[in-house]
Amino acid sequence: QVLLTGTDIARGADGRWVALGDRTQVPSGSGYAMANRRITARVMAGLHRRSPLVRLRGWFDDMAQALQAIAPSGVDLPRVVVLSPGSTSETAFEMAFLSTLLGFPIVESEDLTTRGGRVSIRARDRIEKVDVLLRRVDADFSDPLDLRPESRLGVTGLVESARLGNISIANPLGSAVLENPALHTYLPT
C-alpha cells in the first residue's frame, strides 16, 4: 500500500500553486511539518494562538492506524517498525521524530533478521515477528539478496517475505514508478 506521498509544489508568477512532481518511494516531510509547528508554537506563541491552524496530531494517529490496517491477514496485534538507513541519512531527524509521533520503533537493517520467510526484530534477548514495515530506504537498497548485493541498508530476504505475504511494506517496493513524469499526461492539470 502506498500510504505516504509527497508533492513538489511551486507558486507561479500568477500566484497560483502548481504541482511539479510526486514522491512515492520514500517521501519525507511529515515529521518536519510537526517539528516546525512545535517550534513556531514556542517561538511565536501569540501568533500561533491567534492563527486558525488545523491540528496535525490527527494525521499521525490516522497514519498509525493505516499502517496497522495493512498487516497481513490473520494478524490481530500487528508489530510495525520504521526502517531507516541510519543516523547518517539527511532525513535522520525527520525519520526519528516520525517514528516517535507514530509510536513505532525506528530500526536499521542490523536490528532485523529474516528466517523462514519472516522478518523479525531483535528485541533484547528474544526475536519478535514484524508484520508491517514503513520503508524509509530506497527500494534498490532494501534487500541485498534480491536487489543490490552491496547494500548495507536493507534487510536480507525482505523481498521473499513480502512475496510470501508475511510482511506488508508501506510504501511497497516498486512504488517509485508512480514518480515517473510520463504519468503527468494522464493526471489533471
Side-chain angles (χ1 to χ4, degrees):
Q1 301 264 338
V2 176
L3 296 181
L4 279 175
T5 63
T7 303
D8 295 332
I9 59 173
R11 184 169 272 178
D14 61 359
R16 293 184 355 194
W17 289 102
V18 178
L20 302 174
D22 297 304
R23 301 286 168 240
T24 53
Q25 179 158 218
V26 286
S28 59
S30 53
Y32 289 133
M34 181 60 98
N36 288 336
R37 179 68 61 89
R38 288 182 176 182
I39 291 167
T40 302
R42 288 190 182 122
V43 174
M44 297 184 241
L47 176 63
H48 185 265
R49 278 191 296 275
R50 290 188 310 271
S51 300
L53 300 171
V54 175
R55 298 187 60 76
L56 298 178
R57 181 69 233 172
W59 183 90
F60 294 96
D61 295 339
D62 291 346
M63 177 57 68
Q65 289 176 1
L67 285 163
Q68 292 173 325
I70 66 167
S73 60
V75 177
D76 294 328
L77 296 169
R79 179 154 187 93
V80 181
V81 298
V82 179
L83 178 62
S84 166
S87 60
T88 59
S89 168
E90 65 273 6
T91 60
F93 165 80
E94 194 263 346
M95 282 184 262
F97 196 49
L98 175 64
S99 78
T100 300
L101 292 166
L102 293 173
F104 303 126
I106 190 167
V107 297
E108 296 179 30
S109 61
E110 59 266 8
D111 300 319
L112 302 174
T113 185
T114 308
R115 288 196 180 93
R118 296 203 179 273
V119 176
S120 300
I121 183 172
R122 294 179 184 100
R124 296 189 185 100
D125 59 342
R126 62 184 191 278
I127 293 181
E128 298 176 3
K129 182 177 67 119
V130 173
D131 304 298
V132 179
L133 185 132
L134 174 55
R135 182 177 62 84
R136 298 304 304 266
V137 172
D138 284 349
D140 289 355
F141 295 91
S142 294
D143 185 341
L145 184 63
D146 281 309
L147 300 168
R148 274 192 127 142
E150 72 276 10
S151 174
R152 299 294 171 250
L153 304 176
V155 181
T156 302
L158 179 62
V159 170
E160 177 189 15
S161 184
R163 281 186 190 137
L164 292 172
N166 294 330
I167 192 166
S168 297
I169 304 172
N171 291 2
L173 303 172
S175 62
V177 71
L178 299 173
E179 296 180 6
N180 189 326
L183 296 176
H184 290 179
T185 59
Y186 301 103
L187 298 173
T189 56

